[in-house]
Short mmCIF file of all heavy atoms in Angstrom, two decimals:
data_model
loop_
_atom_site.label_atom_id
_atom_site.label_comp_id
_atom_site.label_asym_id
_atom_site.label_seq_id
_atom_site.Cartn_x
_atom_site.Cartn_y
_atom_site.Cartn_z
N CYS A 1 86.03 -59.06 113.48
CA CYS A 1 85.33 -59.55 114.70
C CYS A 1 84.93 -61.00 114.49
O CYS A 1 84.65 -61.47 113.31
CB CYS A 1 84.07 -58.74 114.93
SG CYS A 1 84.54 -56.98 115.26
N TYR A 2 84.71 -61.69 115.51
CA TYR A 2 84.39 -63.18 115.45
C TYR A 2 83.26 -63.45 114.49
O TYR A 2 83.33 -64.31 113.69
CB TYR A 2 84.13 -63.73 116.87
CG TYR A 2 83.98 -65.17 116.93
CD1 TYR A 2 85.12 -65.95 117.18
CD2 TYR A 2 82.74 -65.78 116.68
CE1 TYR A 2 85.08 -67.35 117.28
CE2 TYR A 2 82.68 -67.22 116.66
CZ TYR A 2 83.77 -68.00 117.04
OH TYR A 2 83.72 -69.32 117.05
N ASN A 3 82.08 -62.73 114.60
CA ASN A 3 80.95 -63.00 113.82
C ASN A 3 81.05 -62.51 112.39
O ASN A 3 80.20 -62.71 111.62
CB ASN A 3 79.66 -62.43 114.45
CG ASN A 3 79.74 -60.91 114.63
OD1 ASN A 3 80.82 -60.33 114.96
ND2 ASN A 3 78.67 -60.24 114.41
N GLU A 4 82.16 -61.91 111.95
CA GLU A 4 82.51 -61.60 110.57
C GLU A 4 83.24 -62.71 109.90
O GLU A 4 83.48 -62.67 108.67
CB GLU A 4 83.35 -60.33 110.49
CG GLU A 4 82.55 -59.08 110.92
CD GLU A 4 83.55 -57.83 110.76
OE1 GLU A 4 84.56 -57.82 111.58
OE2 GLU A 4 83.23 -56.95 110.00
N THR A 5 83.69 -63.64 110.61
CA THR A 5 84.62 -64.73 110.11
C THR A 5 84.05 -66.11 109.88
O THR A 5 82.96 -66.34 110.34
CB THR A 5 85.88 -64.82 111.08
OG1 THR A 5 85.47 -65.46 112.27
CG2 THR A 5 86.49 -63.49 111.36
N VAL A 6 84.85 -66.95 109.23
CA VAL A 6 84.45 -68.28 109.10
C VAL A 6 84.29 -69.02 110.37
O VAL A 6 83.49 -69.96 110.50
CB VAL A 6 85.50 -69.12 108.16
CG1 VAL A 6 85.10 -70.48 107.90
CG2 VAL A 6 85.61 -68.27 106.91
N ALA A 7 84.97 -68.61 111.39
CA ALA A 7 84.74 -69.27 112.73
C ALA A 7 83.32 -69.23 113.19
O ALA A 7 82.84 -70.25 113.82
CB ALA A 7 85.68 -68.56 113.79
N GLN A 8 82.57 -68.21 112.93
CA GLN A 8 81.15 -68.14 113.25
C GLN A 8 80.33 -69.15 112.54
O GLN A 8 79.33 -69.66 113.03
CB GLN A 8 80.66 -66.77 113.09
CG GLN A 8 79.08 -66.49 113.44
CD GLN A 8 78.96 -66.64 114.97
OE1 GLN A 8 79.79 -66.97 115.74
NE2 GLN A 8 77.64 -66.35 115.32
N GLU A 9 80.79 -69.52 111.40
CA GLU A 9 79.98 -70.52 110.55
C GLU A 9 80.18 -71.92 111.11
O GLU A 9 79.27 -72.79 111.11
CB GLU A 9 80.49 -70.46 109.12
CG GLU A 9 80.25 -69.12 108.42
CD GLU A 9 80.64 -69.12 107.03
OE1 GLU A 9 80.76 -70.14 106.33
OE2 GLU A 9 81.04 -68.07 106.43
N TYR A 10 81.43 -72.24 111.54
CA TYR A 10 81.74 -73.56 112.03
C TYR A 10 81.53 -73.71 113.49
O TYR A 10 81.30 -74.82 113.97
CB TYR A 10 83.23 -73.97 111.60
CG TYR A 10 83.36 -74.34 110.12
CD1 TYR A 10 83.65 -73.27 109.17
CD2 TYR A 10 83.44 -75.71 109.77
CE1 TYR A 10 83.78 -73.60 107.85
CE2 TYR A 10 83.65 -75.96 108.45
CZ TYR A 10 83.77 -74.89 107.51
OH TYR A 10 84.00 -75.24 106.23
N PHE A 11 81.78 -72.67 114.23
CA PHE A 11 81.74 -72.65 115.73
C PHE A 11 80.92 -71.45 116.13
O PHE A 11 81.42 -70.51 116.77
CB PHE A 11 83.16 -72.67 116.32
CG PHE A 11 83.97 -73.83 115.94
CD1 PHE A 11 84.93 -73.69 114.85
CD2 PHE A 11 84.03 -74.95 116.67
CE1 PHE A 11 85.66 -74.70 114.38
CE2 PHE A 11 84.81 -75.99 116.34
CZ PHE A 11 85.76 -75.91 115.16
N PRO A 12 79.55 -71.50 115.87
CA PRO A 12 78.79 -70.27 116.21
C PRO A 12 78.72 -70.03 117.77
O PRO A 12 78.57 -70.83 118.54
CB PRO A 12 77.46 -70.71 115.62
CG PRO A 12 77.39 -72.19 115.64
CD PRO A 12 78.76 -72.62 115.29
N LEU A 13 78.78 -68.68 117.97
CA LEU A 13 78.66 -68.16 119.31
C LEU A 13 77.67 -67.00 119.40
O LEU A 13 77.45 -66.31 118.34
CB LEU A 13 80.02 -67.69 119.91
CG LEU A 13 81.23 -68.62 119.93
CD1 LEU A 13 82.41 -67.90 120.33
CD2 LEU A 13 80.96 -69.77 120.99
N THR A 14 77.07 -66.78 120.54
CA THR A 14 76.30 -65.55 120.66
C THR A 14 77.31 -64.37 121.00
O THR A 14 78.51 -64.66 121.33
CB THR A 14 75.43 -65.67 121.82
OG1 THR A 14 76.07 -65.86 123.02
CG2 THR A 14 74.35 -66.85 121.62
N LYS A 15 76.75 -63.23 120.97
CA LYS A 15 77.66 -62.06 121.24
C LYS A 15 78.26 -62.17 122.70
O LYS A 15 79.44 -61.98 122.89
CB LYS A 15 76.87 -60.80 121.11
CG LYS A 15 77.63 -59.53 121.50
CD LYS A 15 76.81 -58.28 121.29
CE LYS A 15 77.52 -56.96 121.61
NZ LYS A 15 76.81 -55.77 121.49
N LYS A 16 77.50 -62.62 123.55
CA LYS A 16 77.83 -62.73 124.98
C LYS A 16 78.96 -63.76 125.06
O LYS A 16 79.83 -63.55 125.83
CB LYS A 16 76.61 -63.10 125.87
CG LYS A 16 76.91 -63.08 127.42
CD LYS A 16 75.65 -63.35 128.26
CE LYS A 16 75.93 -63.47 129.65
NZ LYS A 16 74.74 -63.76 130.44
N GLU A 17 78.74 -64.88 124.52
CA GLU A 17 79.66 -65.99 124.57
C GLU A 17 81.05 -65.58 123.95
O GLU A 17 82.11 -65.88 124.47
CB GLU A 17 79.23 -67.22 123.80
CG GLU A 17 77.98 -67.90 124.60
CD GLU A 17 77.43 -68.96 123.69
OE1 GLU A 17 77.45 -68.94 122.41
OE2 GLU A 17 76.72 -69.86 124.23
N ALA A 18 80.96 -64.85 122.80
CA ALA A 18 82.20 -64.48 122.07
C ALA A 18 83.00 -63.51 122.94
O ALA A 18 84.20 -63.68 123.01
CB ALA A 18 81.81 -63.89 120.72
N ILE A 19 82.29 -62.52 123.51
CA ILE A 19 83.05 -61.55 124.39
C ILE A 19 83.55 -62.23 125.57
O ILE A 19 84.67 -61.94 125.97
CB ILE A 19 82.09 -60.36 124.74
CG1 ILE A 19 81.69 -59.69 123.41
CG2 ILE A 19 82.65 -59.45 125.80
CD1 ILE A 19 80.70 -58.49 123.63
N LYS A 20 82.89 -63.17 126.19
CA LYS A 20 83.37 -63.84 127.33
C LYS A 20 84.62 -64.62 127.05
O LYS A 20 85.53 -64.75 127.87
CB LYS A 20 82.20 -64.84 127.87
CG LYS A 20 82.64 -65.47 129.10
CD LYS A 20 81.55 -66.38 129.59
CE LYS A 20 81.87 -67.14 131.01
NZ LYS A 20 80.85 -67.99 131.42
N GLN A 21 84.65 -65.16 125.81
CA GLN A 21 85.89 -65.91 125.40
C GLN A 21 87.10 -65.00 124.89
O GLN A 21 88.06 -65.56 124.35
CB GLN A 21 85.52 -67.01 124.39
CG GLN A 21 84.56 -67.97 124.87
CD GLN A 21 84.28 -69.09 123.81
OE1 GLN A 21 85.02 -69.47 123.03
NE2 GLN A 21 82.99 -69.62 123.93
N GLY A 22 86.87 -63.75 124.97
CA GLY A 22 88.01 -62.81 124.52
C GLY A 22 87.91 -62.38 123.13
O GLY A 22 88.84 -61.71 122.66
N TYR A 23 86.91 -62.74 122.39
CA TYR A 23 86.83 -62.31 120.96
C TYR A 23 85.98 -60.97 120.81
O TYR A 23 85.16 -60.66 121.68
CB TYR A 23 86.07 -63.41 120.18
CG TYR A 23 86.71 -64.77 120.19
CD1 TYR A 23 86.03 -65.82 120.70
CD2 TYR A 23 88.04 -64.90 119.72
CE1 TYR A 23 86.68 -67.03 120.84
CE2 TYR A 23 88.69 -66.12 119.83
CZ TYR A 23 87.95 -67.25 120.29
OH TYR A 23 88.61 -68.44 120.36
N SER A 24 86.38 -60.25 119.70
CA SER A 24 85.54 -59.05 119.56
C SER A 24 84.19 -59.41 118.75
O SER A 24 84.13 -60.43 118.14
CB SER A 24 86.39 -58.08 118.73
OG SER A 24 86.84 -58.65 117.52
#
């Protein structure tokens, strides 16, 4: 899922933002 990955460290998103952009 997005918040398990390095992407969350460099490009942090909230749960709502991540889901809106199509990420789990």
Side-chain angles (χ1 to χ4, degrees):
C1 299
Y2 190 92
N3 58 321
E4 292 179 296
T5 70
V6 180
Q8 179 69 353
E9 299 178 27
Y10 284 84
F11 302 91
L13 298 175
T14 64
K15 178 179 180 179
K16 184 178 180 180
E17 290 170 337
I19 293 174
K20 184 179 180 181
Q21 295 181 34
Y23 302 119
S24 57

